[in-house]
Amino acid sequence: MLAYSLRRLATAVPTLWLLVTLSFFMMRAAPGGPFDGERQLPAEIELALQAEYHLDEPLWQQYGRYLGELAQGDLGPSFQYSGFRVSELIAAGAPVSLLLGLLALLLAMLAGIALGTYAALRRGRLADRAVMLFAMLGLSVPAYVTAPLLILVFAVALGWLPAGGWGGGGPAVAVLPVLALAAPQVAAIARLTRGALIEALAAPYIRTARAKGLPERRVVLRHALRPALLPVLSYLGPAAAGLITGSVVIEQVFGIPGLGRYFVQGALNRDYTLVLGVVLFYGAIVVLFNFIVDLLYGALDPRVRLAT
Amino acid sequence: MMRTAALLIISLWVAVADADTTLRIGNGGEPETLDPQRAAGVSTGNILRDLDEGLTAIGPGGDALPAAAERWEVDADGLRWIFHLRDGARWSNGDAVTADDFVAGLRRTVDPATGSGYARMLDVIANAGAVASGRLAAVQLGVEALDARTLQIRLALPAPYLPGLLSHPSTFPVHRPSLREYGRDFARPGRLVSNGAYRLVEWSVQSRVVLERNRYYWNNAETAIDTVVYYPTEDLNSELKRYRADELEISSAIPTAQAPWIRAHLGPELHVANYLGSYYYGYNLTQPPFRAAPALRRALSMAVDREIITAKLLHGIVQPAYGWIPPGVADYTPQQPDWATWPRERRLAEARRLYAESGYSPARPLQVEIRYNTQDDNKRIAVVIAAMWKQALGAEVRLVNEEWKVFLQNRRLKRVTQVFRSSWIGDYDDASAFAEILRSTHGRNDSGYVSARYDGLLDEAAREADAGRRRASLEAAERLMLDEAPILPIYYYASKHLVKPRVLGWQDNILDYHYSKDLRLAAAPGTTR
């Protein structure tokens, strides 16, 4: 188990290296530079700024410098936020994105599995149709529609929750963003659970379990739901990574200081180091969650335990 | 017991909320730095004007008023200015503010090693150009502390707008011990020492900047608001919702598309005013079809119905522009071409005549490209202008939108552009802040407009100490430029804030400067939903 984990984590290093290398050169290939703006800088000043950030060196030398600093845990200075190191910005933004993403994941799992199970047990009835309609809406309405709608209702009209912001607002500030972020995932997980559970309930071993006289509750929760959760679980890995890394719209609409905004703003402003730092962090998150899902898979399904 | 405790907590909270004088401001973009000499954006300037104080400040009406300097005088030739610093001016750590701090700030802006975007804005100061281009050392800049409270500024050319210019953050003083200790990382919470009405308490990037009153500020007794919180609000629709939910007292702007709703529901809270900015299209004069084709450029300019764009697309928030320098600029009369007052039919007839004279016809239509950076309003305006050119002249127009930095590079290189979207926001309240952009040697002259007569008129104005003659030269330059049409002005910018009725002391001005120290909050909070 430990050897497997170490082996898996060791393969992450070349993956992340490749990611950083590709991103480094792709960012540099993009036209324009970090100091271009509506106000054209005089040549001498642009040169001074380039020298300050070593942008005047040959590209391979900059790449070597970046990798060298990275090996020491330094992600370099941000171009856009002068005076800040990228590692500081990520250290400030990552907990926010992680908290937001994990809360949304938790909500999506609980609500999604509960709704999916409920619908599967009432297959074809009104409750099932209602849940599936909700799921279709949840999946098809994008966050930039859901989020402002939630704000309009709960913050502007009812005044129950804050319309935005993060610092100093207490736990209430997280409610609407978590809801908006979780909505499509609740829907996706509910659909997956329903489908898998209906299939599982039709399996011969369930008939056997029922024939043995097991209570229905035990049949559903222990014998049907457990295998039905396998497709949900394999969906959760990328979903978790997506929730943590893909909250750009939510962060923008609610004014939340997470990493998504750094990523987008960094790319638009050609803040090379900031984008690389966030790419690296996101890459690590994706690798980590895929790894966790693989471990959990083994726990749920004895057939895929470790040897694979 | 629990109930009593809960009641106590609620009543305490209510009491604190009542006594609190916190001003919450939507500030648009995130500040890139709070280092006054390296700052560039509008949102950063708003915070810096609360934190620091220049020699002068802009009064509620837009005039330059004494600030860190209590008075100043200028020699008859307009070249030597003496500023007398206020007795008792202090930094937020209690240190005295001295003339040397201002010298250090000005030298730092002009020194190319600082990387300030405003180095060339101070070119009027003696030796500034040579220092900025690295030919002279920063100590040779024409600024000198005659004693701790007297600052002398020598100019290369007379600049009657100097007091206004000295309200700009790039001219603010620098706390030299902090700069020595922390280098260019001094502008952080816990380090930043400021000389304005407020000091920096918290800066959570992408979340908020919190300022508290500076008890060492010379006029602290007159400051009414204790705490100012600036929120980055890049998404204007979200900002509007936060304003409506009473989470902000002041918004940075309004979403244009929401203007009719806002007028109907929040009318008295909407403040729309002239702003020191112009939105325009540039023609690339270095390439066909616009090289040496002033008649064609005029024809296209005449064919654009600006009233439709400002009234229908932009909901009457902004004013149509026929000239380049916005109305409301100090000591200047807005200029416009003669045809601006003609009826639309006559304008179109003349446009068609000029179009034909330039060699185009229905059989041989002009094929032209409008290039703009990706943004909704830019797109809508480009679509409408393309339709107007097609309808009025039969021109075939292609629209090209590009990501911001790609667009900037193409615009600057002048190789692929034909007609390009542009805008300019003046840094100080003077016509030269606009006129200089179109000088043949200016870095932002993306049209590649080269006119010896235009440059000559600007030189004349720059040498002129007499306000009337200076103004006449600048106005003549703009008229000449409008006649040669290197650009197509479309509309003048407007500042457009929502301000809660409980905010007292707010006055619109062309620079859109609003110092929190000049504002007050009425006791009973008004609510708007």
Side-chain angles (χ1 to χ4, degrees), chain B residues 491-505:
Chain B
Y491 69 83
Y492 297 119
Y493 278 144
S495 60
K496 37 190 198 284
H497 300 277
L498 282 165
V499 181
K500 293 277 178 191
R502 65 175 173 274
V503 177
L504 308 177

Side-chain angles (χ1 to χ4, degrees), chain B residues 352-380:
Chain B
R352 288 190 192 106
R353 191 189 67 75
L354 289 169
Y355 182 75
E357 185 189 295
S358 308
Y360 299 100
S361 63
R364 188 179 168 272
L366 170 72
Q367 293 184 330
V368 71
E369 187 179 277
I370 299 178
R371 192 173 291 255
Y372 59 94
N373 55 303
T374 312
Q375 201 245 6
D376 276 353
D377 281 347
N378 289 344
K379 181 179 178 175
R380 297 191 312 148

Side-chain angles (χ1 to χ4, degrees), chain A residues 214-305:
Chain A
L214 287 181
E216 184 63 15
R217 189 186 178 80
R218 196 172 151 87
V219 171
V220 172
L221 291 185
R222 187 166 171 85
H223 294 282
L225 191 57
R226 199 165 144 173
L229 285 186
L230 282 177
V232 176
L233 191 63
S234 40
Y235 174 78
L236 278 187
L243 282 173
I244 290 161
T245 59
S247 51
V248 182
V249 173
I250 301 291
E251 288 175 16
Q252 187 89 24
V253 171
F254 288 97
I256 293 171
L259 283 185
R261 282 163 94 193
Y262 288 135
F263 190 47
V264 173
Q265 293 292 331
L268 293 178
N269 288 307
R270 306 289 190 271
D271 192 339
Y272 302 133
T273 44
L274 184 58
V275 170
L276 282 175
V278 178
V279 161
L280 190 65
F281 180 81
Y282 280 177
I285 290 280
V286 172
V287 168
L288 180 72
F289 274 87
N290 282 336
F291 171 63
I292 292 176
V293 164
D294 284 356
L295 288 185
L296 285 178
Y297 229 84
L300 274 186
D301 185 349
R303 288 170 302 176
V304 283
R305 213 157 273 173

Side-chain angles (χ1 to χ4, degrees), chain A residues 50-129:
Chain A
Q50 286 184 340
E52 183 185 335
Y53 292 101
H54 304 289
L55 292 178
D56 52 345
E57 295 171 355
L59 200 55
W60 61 267
Q61 207 171 327
Q62 294 179 43
Y63 173 66
R65 176 188 297 278
Y66 184 77
L67 284 188
E69 287 175 355
L70 188 61
Q72 296 164 40
D74 182 6
L75 296 170
S78 164
F79 296 82
Q80 186 188 353
Y81 302 107
S82 105
F84 283 93
R85 308 295 296 177
V86 169
S87 39
E88 271 181 275
L89 295 173
I90 291 184
V96 178
S97 284
L98 280 174
L99 181 67
L100 198 63
L102 292 179
L103 284 176
L105 182 70
L106 194 69
L107 177 67
M109 257 164 55
L110 292 178
I113 292 175
L115 283 174
T117 308
Y118 183 73
L121 294 179
R122 278 160 189 71
R123 186 182 176 188
R125 286 196 255 165
L126 187 65
D128 178 28
R129 298 227 174 103

Side-chain angles (χ1 to χ4, degrees), chain B residues 2-283:
Chain B
M2 285 289 283
R3 217 177 130 173
T4 323
L7 275 175
L8 190 70
I9 288 170
I10 289 172
S11 54
L12 263 178
W13 183 79
V14 169
V16 168
D18 271 355
D20 196 17
T21 49
T22 298
L23 181 67
R24 298 159 303 172
I25 303 176
N27 198 32
E30 171 76 20
E32 66 285 349
T33 172
L34 293 178
D35 176 343
Q37 277 81 36
R38 280 166 69 95
V42 170
S43 55
T44 315
N46 295 339
I47 302 176
L48 286 173
R49 279 185 295 275
D50 274 356
L51 282 173
D52 285 304
E53 184 167 64
L55 292 164
T56 65
I58 299 300
D63 311 321
L65 301 178
E70 60 184 351
R71 61 193 166 84
W72 54 84
E73 59 249 16
V74 54
D75 282 3
D77 59 5
L79 293 179
R80 181 170 167 270
W81 294 67
I82 304 284
F83 290 85
H84 301 277
L85 265 57
R86 218 170 266 286
D87 194 16
R90 295 255 176 278
W91 290 94
S92 56
N93 66 348
D95 291 355
V97 176
T98 66
D100 278 313
D101 298 332
F102 281 94
V103 170
L106 288 163
R107 281 182 185 160
R108 197 163 168 259
T109 292
V110 178
D111 186 345
T114 307
S116 169
Y118 290 102
R120 304 312 299 252
M121 190 183 77
L122 302 180
D123 270 0
V124 283
I125 299 179
N127 291 343
V131 173
S133 57
R135 284 180 282 121
L136 284 181
V139 290
Q140 287 171 286
L141 184 70
V143 291
E144 194 183 337
L146 301 181
D147 60 50
R149 283 179 48 207
T150 314
L151 177 75
Q152 171 184 277
I153 301 183
R154 282 183 299 109
L155 300 185
L157 296 163
Y161 56 88
L162 184 70
L165 188 66
L166 294 173
S167 69
H168 192 273
S170 63
T171 69
F172 286 174
V174 60
H175 185 249
R176 290 167 295 146
S178 304
L179 186 62
R180 268 197 300 276
E181 188 174 350
Y182 302 111
R184 54 183 35 166
D185 293 342
F186 73 90
R188 304 277 301 263
R191 295 180 183 173
L192 184 67
V193 173
S194 60
N195 75 323
Y198 293 90
R199 61 187 186 86
L200 180 64
V201 179
E202 179 195 330
W203 178 9
S204 308
V205 176
Q206 301 279 22
S207 181
R208 58 183 191 167
V209 175
V210 182
L211 316 183
E212 270 175 15
R213 67 158 71 219
N214 168 14
R215 63 192 175 91
Y216 290 107
Y217 179 58
W218 63 270
N219 204 17
N220 181 40
E222 294 295 313
T223 304
I225 291 169
D226 298 316
T227 308
V228 183
V229 187
Y230 282 96
Y231 293 96
T233 47
E234 285 142 12
D235 184 326
L236 292 181
N237 284 300
S238 297
E239 184 188 53
L240 174 61
K241 293 192 189 73
R242 294 188 74 177
Y243 178 86
R244 290 175 60 199
D246 264 329
E247 291 172 24
L248 300 172
E249 271 79 36
I250 297 168
S251 79
S252 68
I254 59 164
T256 313
Q258 299 278 343
W261 185 92
I262 291 171
R263 275 212 192 88
H265 295 89
L266 301 170
E269 297 169 41
L270 178 62
H271 289 252
V272 175
N274 284 342
Y275 184 52
L276 204 56
S278 282
Y279 183 107
Y280 62 100
Y281 278 177
Y283 300 110

